């Protein structure tokens, strides 16, 4: 997918859902979210001086953005932040 105007800044989004769902009771979920043209204050939470994974930098992003509310204490969160701006989080039990 291409999000945004073709003659200005735009993003390419690639999505792959390769989760096997053998039954309706399957609990695996996938959420892909791409933010475009968000306010500077909100975007500032996803900027970083360094590439980083699973440390105080990413924990701080989860806390500042409220993402911690999406994960319960039983889930293991693996997240990554990229310079200058980019963030990904995966959680599993």
């Amino acid at each position: 997918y291409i999000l945004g105007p073709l003659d200005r800044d735009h993003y390419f989004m690639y999505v792959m859902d390769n989760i096997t769902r053998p039954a309706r009771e399957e609990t695996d979920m996938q959420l892909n979210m791409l933010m475009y043209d968000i306010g500077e204050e909100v975007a500032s939470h996803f900027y970083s001086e360094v590439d980083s994974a699973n440390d105080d930098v990413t924990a701080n992003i989860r806390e500042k953005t409220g993402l911690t509310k999406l994960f319960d204490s039983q889930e293991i969160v693996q997240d990554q932040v990229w310079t200058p701006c980019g963030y990904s989080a995966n959680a599993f039990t």
Side-chain angles (χ1 to χ4, degrees):
Y1 301 99
I2 299 175
L3 301 176
L6 294 178
D7 61 344
R8 295 193 335 225
D9 288 339
H10 57 270
Y11 295 92
F12 293 94
M13 183 173 78
Y14 305 92
V15 178
M16 178 182 175
D17 181 355
N18 196 20
I19 301 171
T20 303
R21 293 177 178 85
R24 288 188 154 284
E25 294 80 27
E26 186 67 46
T27 59
D28 284 352
M29 292 182 285
Q30 179 175 329
L31 169 66
N32 295 304
M33 181 171 43
L34 183 63
M35 296 178 284
Y36 182 81
D37 200 25
I38 60 176
E40 287 183 24
E41 183 179 340
V42 175
S44 71
H45 297 303
F46 301 100
Y47 276 85
S48 178
E49 300 282 329
V50 296
D51 291 341
S52 184
N54 297 321
D55 60 12
D56 293 337
V57 174
T58 54
N60 189 38
I61 290 173
R62 287 193 309 272
E63 189 63 38
K64 288 191 309 185
T65 59
L67 288 171
T68 54
K69 297 174 186 174
L70 296 177
F71 310 118
D72 66 33
S73 61
Q74 303 299 315
E75 293 176 316
I76 298 169
V77 179
Q78 294 180 332
D79 50 358
Q80 170 91 28
V81 64
W82 296 274
T83 56
C85 182
Y87 178 77
S88 174
N90 297 291
F92 57 93
T93 54

